[in-house]
Amino acid sequence: FQKLRIAFDKAFGGEEKVPKFDLVVDAGCGTGLVGEQFRNVSKTLVGVDLSPAIIEEAKKARPGLYDETKVGDITEVFRDKKPVSLIIAGDSYIYFGDLVPLFESMEEGLMDGGVAAFTLENASDEFQVKLQETKPDWRWQLQPSGRFAHNKKYIEEVGKQTSLKVLHYEEMRGFRKEGAHDVNGHIFIMQKVSSQEL
């Protein structure tokens, strides 16, 4: 998750140029591995997860990391907490196939100029070759792991539909192993902008 923070810093031209964010939501926070990477740029950090047990684990593992924790659906929390200045999500958006409802909730929850920093998985090299042959316009694909792979073009298109402009993008090749196979992924840093700025 350090990779997400490093990419985030690059989007602002370096760590020293990253501003403080008033309200930060760690979406699908787990035990706080992503949250701790962003604590120093968060005035208020809210951890959200579907699992009450995981939230309790986060409190034990990293006491004081979160100013507030919530058990629930991140799409509802984005709307409840608006205006959110920064959304961070490491390995939690990979359980969504269609990204439109998720991105619509980010658009609604983020303040104007608010930022979303997140990771998604991409198909393996072998799988991408098959998809190009059988489904060249693929948007997302359920993988044997039970997680979704998302096509970069699709993510950018949904971003445009929901006022989210790409500030910084990084491809992650082989960032994790699944058995003997490399898992590929994406890092996106997006900002909510007016339609003229898209």
Side-chain angles (χ1 to χ4, degrees):
F1 296 121
Q2 207 175 353
K3 283 181 179 173
L4 180 59
R5 178 57 203 265
I6 291 165
F8 180 79
D9 291 348
K10 283 182 192 167
F12 288 90
E15 189 180 356
E16 65 289 345
K17 293 182 181 168
V18 175
K20 278 261 189 199
F21 292 85
D22 288 336
L23 177 59
V24 180
V25 176
D26 184 356
C29 64
T31 59
L33 290 168
V34 177
E36 70 182 356
Q37 295 289 330
F38 288 84
R39 179 67 258 193
N40 69 339
V41 293
S42 308
K43 289 182 186 170
T44 300
L45 181 59
V46 180
V48 184
D49 206 282
L50 280 171
S51 165
I54 288 283
I55 290 282
E56 285 310 309
E57 215 175 298
K59 288 177 183 173
K60 282 182 200 153
R62 293 172 178 80
L65 173 63
Y66 295 107
D67 299 293
E68 185 188 345
T69 53
K70 288 188 85 65
V71 175
D73 180 332
I74 55 175
T75 61
E76 288 169 17
V77 174
F78 294 157
R79 291 180 171 107
D80 292 346
K81 287 282 174 193
K82 67 182 178 187
V84 177
S85 38
L86 171 63
I87 292 168
I88 53 176
D91 277 1
S92 48
Y93 289 179
I94 54 179
Y95 298 103
F96 290 82
D98 179 3
L99 293 175
V100 173
L102 173 66
F103 275 46
E104 284 174 346
S105 70
M106 289 201 295
E107 178 187 24
E108 198 178 323
L110 281 168
M111 62 186 276
D112 292 341
V115 177
F118 56 91
T119 62
L120 284 164
E121 287 189 12
N122 197 356
S124 66
D125 294 347
E126 191 183 327
F127 201 20
Q128 280 190 55
V129 170
K130 280 184 191 164
L131 284 168
Q132 287 307 327
E133 289 168 4
T134 59
K135 206 174 166 188
D137 58 347
W138 76 281
R139 297 177 295 167
W140 72 86
Q141 189 68 40
L142 185 61
Q143 303 176 99
S145 64
R147 301 186 301 266
F148 286 92
H150 291 89
N151 187 323
K152 181 184 179 216
K153 272 188 197 156
Y154 168 65
I155 302 159
E156 290 169 339
E157 278 166 20
V158 178
K160 278 183 186 155
Q161 288 167 33
T162 52
S163 308
L164 294 166
K165 179 184 179 179
V166 178
L167 287 182
H168 183 76
Y169 169 80
E170 281 183 25
E171 185 179 29
M172 292 189 293
R173 297 188 61 74
F175 75 99
R176 179 169 58 224
K177 284 275 186 201
E178 189 107 326
H181 302 285
D182 282 341
V183 177
N184 294 332
H186 317 270
I187 294 175
F188 278 90
I189 316 297
M190 295 180 124
Q191 185 171 37
K192 182 177 170 181
V193 295
S194 66
S195 53
Q196 294 85 0
E197 295 172 278
L198 281 171

